Amino acid sequence: MSFAILYGVSTIFVLAIIASLIFSTLLRFTALTESSISLVVMIVTFLSIFIGGFVSGGKGRKQGILLGGGTGIVYLAIILLFQYLGHDSLFSVKQWVSYGCFIVTATMGGILGVNISKGE
């Protein structure tokens, strides 16, 4: 179960790194601004977290709610540590709402991952 969550969180961070490279390249070499792509960044973030939950559910093959939720919570804990230790600040209310939605999204991905992996 813990390896499935590790796979899911690793998938989220790999996708986040790839998306960050793409967005930073676009921001550097085009006339785009951060505010103009903020919605796209949020959509890609939700998609990455859903895929991470899906991977953890698929690897675990049972208890998709726990695997997806666990993946979202571990991701949240890592982000909280980076923000608190790196920037010495806690989450704002808007961030708490976003991260709550991230946990729900990862949970839905975990449920779907288990159900699709059982069909094989």
Side-chain angles (χ1 to χ4, degrees):
M1 185 167 166
S2 61
F3 285 114
I5 292 174
L6 181 64
Y7 275 109
V9 172
S10 299
T11 301
I12 292 171
F13 280 111
V14 166
L15 292 172
I17 290 170
I18 292 168
S20 293
L21 287 172
I22 291 169
F23 288 133
S24 63
T25 302
L26 286 173
L27 288 170
R28 173 68 177 102
F29 295 111
T30 65
L32 292 174
T33 62
E34 286 182 37
S35 60
S36 67
I37 63 169
S38 63
L39 180 63
V40 176
V41 170
M42 187 60 76
I43 291 170
V44 169
T45 302
F46 273 104
L47 186 63
S48 299
I49 291 173
F50 180 82
I51 292 170
F54 184 86
V55 167
S56 68
K59 289 286 184 187
R61 295 187 181 253
K62 59 182 180 179
Q63 299 176 338
I65 292 175
L66 294 176
L67 290 174
T71 301
I73 290 170
V74 169
Y75 172 76
L76 173 73
I78 292 170
I79 297 302
L80 178 66
L81 286 173
F82 272 108
Q83 185 167 340
Y84 182 70
L85 297 174
H87 299 288
D88 198 26
S89 66
L90 291 175
F91 294 153
S92 67
V93 174
K94 182 179 177 183
Q95 287 175 313
W96 278 114
V97 170
S98 295
Y99 290 130
C101 292
F102 290 166
I103 292 172
V104 170
T105 302
T107 303
M108 291 188 306
I111 293 168
L112 188 63
V114 166
N115 290 328
I116 288 180
S117 71
K118 285 187 176 185
E120 296 176 354

